[in-house]
Amino acid sequence: MSKDNLHTLQQSAIELLKQLISTPSFSKEEDRTAEILTTFLEKHGVAVKSVKHNVYARSAHFDDSKPTILLNSHHDTVKPNKNYTLDPFTPIEKDGKLFGLGSNDAGGPLVALIATFLYFNQQPNLKYNLVLAASAEEEISGKDGIELVLPHLGKIDCAIVGEPTQMQMAVAERGLMVLDCLAHGKAGHAARNEGENAIYKAIKDIEWFQSYQFPKVSDLLGPVKMSVTVIETDNKAHNVVPAQCKFVVDTRVNELYTFEDILETIHKHVQCEVVPRSTRLRSTSIALDHPLIKSGVSLGRTYYGSPTTSDKALMPFQALKMGPGDSARSHTADEYIFVNEVYEGIELYVRLLEKIL
């Protein structure tokens, strides 16, 4: 494909991004953006399939005997930050920036990957198949997102997950485990020496969560981090010693521990009940000698460990998180992405894959 055709794809990607910005697509409400993506791909001769609000396609010369690379990003968004000064659903270009909800997270990475897929789609004799998946419910880690679509894609050997990383390579990602904790006491009247105060019991455990350090520290992701983020009792009256105290612990796990390891240590040290809401969002990493990483390094890309989670956590194969935009802009008021970031992202994705395909 010529440079002129690549430039045409870059321009088409920006126009598609503007359509996506103009169309609300909150998690679980992505039906309209799914239609936009389907129409766009079909106009480019792609045979598109969908499951719920997930849109996916195989490259034109797909060969079951070849390994497969998944190109994935999401088309759902969070709800607009209350501090927006611009209409979040009106794409505005100004000073090289494209403003709008989801422009940066993850509309820019998504349209860049779509353009990359189209660049290679009709090319015969590639060493790898390509599969494209625009997934739903990423922002809420919903079960009708990437987890739902993966079984429809066939065997995947590795993936590029489009998230705003300034086109640097996030080769590892912290896992997320949210813990619901419950300390038990005994109700009594606060004016008398009655009952057992569940708050005081909880405080001892909270102090442990605050001070304990897991010994294994990752070169890429640093230490395991536990943060108490919510605390409450069922009491409505000031004069009742609480019988229960609930608190929540946000636990960010590096790749050196499993969730089971973390839970085993916690249960040995605290008295409260501890129940994980989910053990789905596990820490992940991709080998530094993987062809995708070696290709990126040859292009001057750096690699790092990401503190945030993405759909990468739900993939049972190695995946590289990489995309145009900056995660610092995600979920902020007046979200934007630079148009040139999308253009350069497409070119870098293409060059990254050319070295492999």
Side-chain angles (χ1 to χ4, degrees):
M1 183 176 282
S2 69
K3 287 187 176 180
D4 287 343
N5 287 334
L6 179 59
H7 183 64
T8 299
L9 282 176
Q10 290 170 320
Q11 291 178 314
S12 296
I14 294 298
E15 293 308 308
L16 174 60
L17 180 52
K18 289 178 179 178
Q19 282 187 274
L20 295 175
I21 290 169
S22 301
T23 309
S25 57
F26 306 136
S27 302
K28 293 186 176 290
E29 301 173 18
E30 311 96 338
D31 52 314
R32 292 171 61 198
T33 47
E35 290 176 6
I36 289 169
L37 293 166
T38 298
T39 299
F40 178 87
L41 288 165
E42 288 178 342
K43 284 182 178 178
H44 284 81
V46 177
V48 183
K49 295 183 178 180
S50 62
V51 52
K52 288 209 170 178
H53 299 156
N54 303 280
V55 175
Y56 64 97
R58 289 179 166 189
S59 50
H61 298 280
F62 193 94
D63 181 344
D64 286 323
S65 68
K66 294 180 179 180
T68 299
I69 299 175
L70 169 64
L71 306 181
N72 163 252
S73 190
H74 64 94
H75 61 106
D76 64 315
T77 73
V78 296
K79 293 192 175 179
N81 185 302
K82 292 181 180 179
N83 293 320
Y84 261 83
T85 63
L86 304 171
D87 181 353
F89 304 112
T90 299
I92 298 171
E93 277 194 70
K94 184 179 180 182
D95 299 328
K97 300 173 182 177
L98 177 57
F99 291 88
L101 181 65
S103 56
N104 179 78
D105 184 15
L110 174 61
V111 299
L113 282 174
I114 289 172
T116 303
F117 177 83
L118 293 176
Y119 180 90
F120 290 106
N121 181 46
Q122 295 292 340
Q123 295 186 30
N125 304 317
L126 297 176
K127 293 179 182 178
Y128 286 77
N129 301 307
L130 289 179
V131 169
L132 174 71
S135 50
E137 297 192 13
E138 190 273 347
E139 294 291 3
I140 59 170
S141 301
K143 294 191 175 182
D144 285 334
I146 193 65
E147 276 181 308
L148 181 66
V149 74
L150 279 178
H152 296 266
L153 304 182
K155 182 179 181 295
I156 302 294
D157 293 271
C158 60
I160 298 175
V161 177
E163 290 284 341
T165 69
Q166 298 181 310
M167 288 306 290
Q168 304 304 336
M169 300 186 293
V171 298
E173 190 176 80
R174 284 181 182 271
L176 169 62
M177 182 169 57
V178 179
L179 304 176
D180 288 307
C181 303
L182 178 63
H184 292 278
K186 183 178 179 182
H189 199 294
R192 297 188 290 270
N193 190 22
E194 293 179 348
E196 297 176 14
N197 196 317
I199 292 176
Y200 298 157
K201 290 188 173 183
I203 286 173
K204 292 180 181 178
D205 288 341
I206 289 170
E207 288 176 340
W208 180 85
F209 280 110
Q210 179 186 18
S211 62
Y212 184 80
Q213 297 291 321
F214 283 87
K216 297 178 187 177
V217 178
S218 165
D219 291 338
L220 289 166
L221 297 172
V224 173
K225 189 172 188 303
M226 299 186 292
S227 303
V228 177
T229 54
V230 178
I231 183 168
E232 61 182 344
T233 73
D234 294 330
N235 275 9
K236 303 298 181 186
H238 67 86
N239 58 351
V240 178
V241 172
Q244 291 186 335
C245 182
K246 305 170 187 174
F247 61 97
V248 176
V249 184
D250 179 292
T251 309
R252 307 284 171 158
V253 181
N254 65 30
E255 80 281 16
L256 304 179
Y257 290 95
T258 66
F259 287 157
E260 289 75 17
D261 294 334
I262 300 297
L263 287 169
E264 182 180 2
T265 298
I266 290 171
H267 286 139
K268 286 179 180 177
H269 288 87
V270 301
Q271 299 301 311
C272 61
E273 294 179 19
V274 179
V275 178
R277 293 183 186 176
S278 168
T279 55
R280 294 162 59 236
L281 301 176
R282 294 177 179 265
S283 178
T284 58
S285 62
I286 183 171
L288 296 182
D289 62 355
H290 191 280
L292 284 173
I293 307 307
K294 291 168 74 173
S295 177
V297 170
S298 74
L299 294 172
R301 302 294 92 191
T302 59
Y303 58 82
Y304 69 102
S306 173
T308 59
T309 57
S310 70
D311 276 344
K312 182 180 185 302
L314 299 169
M315 296 177 179
F317 41 78
Q318 294 192 93
L320 166 64
K321 184 167 72 174
M322 180 180 185
D326 187 340
S327 64
R329 302 181 208 135
S330 300
H331 307 176
T332 60
D334 298 337
E335 180 183 349
Y336 68 89
I337 192 166
F338 286 98
V339 172
N340 277 343
E341 286 180 319
V342 179
Y343 276 33
E344 292 166 4
I346 295 168
E347 186 173 351
L348 275 167
Y349 277 146
V350 167
R351 292 171 63 197
L352 179 84
L353 287 171
E354 277 181 334
K355 292 177 176 291
I356 299 169
L357 299 179

